[in-house]
Amino acid sequence: MQSGSGLVFVNGIRLYIHRFQPASARPSGLTVLLLHGYLDSGATWDLVAEPLARAGHDVLAPDLRGFGESDSVGAGGYYHFPDYVSDLSSLLDILAPKRLALVGHSMGGTIAALFAGARPQRVDQLVLLEGLGAPITEPGTAVDRMRTWLDDMRSLDRTPRPVGSFDEALDRLARRHPQVPRAILESRARLLTRTHSGRLSWAYDSMHRTTAPVPFHLESFKCFLRRITAPTLYVSGGVNGLRLPDEAERLACIPSTLHVDLPDAGHMMHWTAPEALAERLLRFFASPPESRPPPPR
């Protein structure tokens, strides 16, 4: 059901945009932008994106920089959250949606929250799928993180990471996501690998596997959450999801939030429970708009 997918040039790199736009649906006027998580890609949103598109929404799922079919950063570059936020802002300048629903899973949720706090007037509805920032990191770890990052970068080989066979890729994915049924993982593995110089490899830049040099600053992130004015839906995946110990405290920072739990979905809910997730999203998108609270000064 992808129509109009392709590359978009932003911030000096090319981002691949997966677009789901069935011709038979009556356009709703709402653009739904889906942001994937760590070591994932826009392609694996397909099971959720297709029912959203059938409802008439213009659904787009970019491969974030260094993932999927998008460009990796050049020599001397790195992957920081502000880079992703800047890519998102530039992409929206090009798309210029009349109404925007921003949906982010895990790392993509953190990116969505940062953008929605920095540019609240540009987001009409926000959905965070277990994407409320990283776990708390103590400031005292900063020096060790920087040392580890320097060591990682010195030994980094950015040649596409080879996989011996598709079955090996599937086994690795199963070890990473033990709660996800193997049949689902098989279809996802085909979307997360590619052939490079005749060899199968993962479709992401190996630099993503290095230790980020800067600790996650929770108090700063909370300031972004407090600036969000869009009605916000937070979806968790039950006992097998990625539940932060201070989840309620972080959610309380967002002025207008509805929390929904998909009890058996787990963290990869867009893979394991796409129908239930899509139904929740459609219900949220159809809800009448609320009056927006002004962002705190």
Side-chain angles (χ1 to χ4, degrees):
M1 289 178 59
Q2 290 195 31
S3 173
S5 299
L7 293 165
V8 177
F9 195 74
V10 298
N11 294 334
I13 62 175
R14 297 171 303 171
L15 298 183
Y16 191 88
I17 312 298
H18 304 266
R19 190 166 201 160
F20 301 83
Q21 191 182 32
S24 59
R26 181 179 179 181
S28 69
L30 179 68
T31 296
V32 181
L33 192 66
L34 306 169
L35 300 179
H36 67 79
Y38 178 65
L39 301 187
D40 202 349
S41 81
T44 73
W45 281 107
D46 56 343
L47 304 177
V48 174
E50 290 179 0
L52 300 183
R54 286 196 296 269
H57 304 313
D58 186 13
V59 184
L60 302 101
D63 291 340
L64 300 175
R65 56 169 59 198
F67 291 104
E69 300 301 319
S70 291
D71 286 345
S72 299
V73 297
Y78 196 67
Y79 299 98
H80 297 287
F81 274 111
D83 298 319
Y84 297 118
V85 175
S86 178
D87 288 348
L88 174 57
S89 181
S90 297
L91 179 60
L92 290 173
D93 286 343
I94 295 171
L95 299 175
K98 295 179 180 178
R99 291 189 296 124
L100 174 67
L102 191 56
V103 181
H105 171 249
S106 198
M107 183 187 81
T110 302
I111 297 166
L114 289 169
F115 179 79
R119 290 285 188 264
Q121 73 280 6
R122 300 187 69 181
V123 182
D124 295 285
Q125 292 174 298
L126 176 66
V127 181
L128 306 176
L129 311 180
E130 294 192 339
L132 278 175
I136 296 174
T137 51
E138 295 298 329
T141 66
V143 177
D144 288 338
R145 290 184 70 93
M146 184 67 77
R147 286 174 176 164
T148 301
W149 178 72
L150 291 172
D151 291 341
D152 287 349
M153 294 299 288
R154 181 185 292 118
S155 60
L156 177 65
D157 179 4
R158 296 183 70 183
T159 304
R161 194 177 178 197
V163 185
S165 66
F166 179 79
D167 286 341
E168 180 183 333
L170 182 56
D171 288 341
R172 291 188 190 181
L173 205 58
R175 288 195 295 270
R176 191 185 308 156
H177 303 292
Q179 304 295 333
V180 180
R182 194 172 181 88
I184 295 175
L185 289 177
E186 183 172 356
S187 66
R188 306 300 87 187
R190 297 189 188 283
L191 298 173
L192 295 173
T193 54
R194 63 187 171 195
T195 301
H196 178 81
S197 300
R199 301 185 65 184
L200 191 68
S201 64
W202 294 107
Y204 60 78
D205 184 356
S206 297
M207 190 183 287
H208 288 297
R209 300 300 295 254
T210 61
T211 299
V214 180
F216 180 72
H217 296 289
L218 178 58
E219 293 306 315
S220 296
F221 182 65
K222 286 181 177 179
C223 293
F224 283 89
L225 297 180
R226 294 186 184 103
R227 293 275 181 160
I228 294 170
T229 61
T232 302
L233 173 66
Y234 181 73
V235 185
S236 52
V239 295
N240 292 320
L242 185 63
R243 308 297 293 272
L244 297 169
D246 59 342
E247 176 184 82
E249 181 182 336
R250 298 189 192 197
L251 279 176
C253 295
I254 304 175
S256 175
T257 310
L258 172 66
H259 182 186
V260 169
D261 188 59
L262 300 179
D264 300 317
H267 184 57
M268 304 304 287
M269 60 189 75
H270 60 309
W271 297 2
T272 59
E275 298 88 355
L277 177 58
E279 189 275 331
R280 289 290 186 176
L281 295 180
L282 289 171
R283 189 187 308 178
F284 179 66
F285 297 154
S287 60
E290 302 176 4
S291 58
R292 293 190 174 205
R297 295 184 179 274

